[in-house]
Amino acid sequence: MSVKVERKTSVYLIDVINSLLERSRENQSVFWRDIASRLNSSRNHYANVNLGKLDRFVSEGETVVIAGNLLSSGILHKKIRIAALKASEKAKLKLAESGSEFIELTELAKENPRGTDLKIIK
């Protein structure tokens, strides 16, 4: 089964999906292929995750992948790394206050090409 980017108009989104697909092919990584296929689906199926949810379900020091948007509702008390398609400015400020780090999906895919020891939150 092949994943092909169709009906997406955002150049940034197309580049992210193609980059993740390229990583998955180079490293035989099912993880990045799954994230790319989630982003290639309808925007209604994207994960919109609040910081409060992350605080409940993620342990200290983990790296989290969100196939969608990070939103600012709630408080984050843990120091974690978060990779998402987008994050609101308020969410980025709250992350900085908690000592957490936000990185782009493509950067995380370069750092961790196999997609090991990552947690998907939806």
Side-chain angles (χ1 to χ4, degrees):
M1 177 174 123
S2 111
V3 176
K4 186 176 179 183
V5 182
E6 295 179 0
R7 291 187 248 145
K8 297 289 180 186
T9 56
S10 169
V11 175
Y12 172 71
L13 181 58
I14 292 170
D15 288 342
V16 169
I17 293 170
N18 286 331
S19 174
L20 295 178
L21 288 172
E22 183 180 325
R23 288 280 172 220
S24 84
R25 281 190 294 273
E26 288 173 356
N27 302 294
Q28 291 81 36
S29 172
V30 177
F31 183 85
W32 293 118
R33 183 178 181 79
D34 179 46
I35 298 297
S37 66
R38 289 177 192 221
L39 292 175
N40 198 28
S41 69
S42 171
R43 192 180 307 166
N44 293 334
H45 298 292
Y46 284 7
N48 293 315
V49 179
N50 287 308
L51 292 174
K53 184 175 185 178
L54 290 176
D55 196 52
R56 284 191 310 264
F57 294 112
V58 177
S59 301
E60 183 83 25
E62 285 188 321
T63 302
V64 176
V65 176
I66 301 170
N69 305 318
L70 176 65
L71 305 174
S72 67
S73 181
I75 298 172
L76 184 64
H77 297 99
K78 300 171 184 169
K79 192 173 182 179
I80 57 176
R81 291 181 74 200
I82 302 169
L85 181 63
K86 289 191 242 178
S88 69
E89 290 301 317
K90 201 169 177 183
K92 288 180 182 178
L93 289 174
K94 286 184 176 183
L95 284 175
E97 289 173 3
S98 72
S100 296
E101 178 186 6
F102 176 79
I103 57 176
E104 299 289 327
L105 283 172
T106 53
E107 291 176 32
L108 183 61
K110 288 177 187 173
E111 289 176 21
N112 191 345
R114 299 281 302 164
T116 56
D117 299 327
L118 300 175
K119 183 183 260 188
I120 298 176
I121 301 288
K122 54 179 174 170

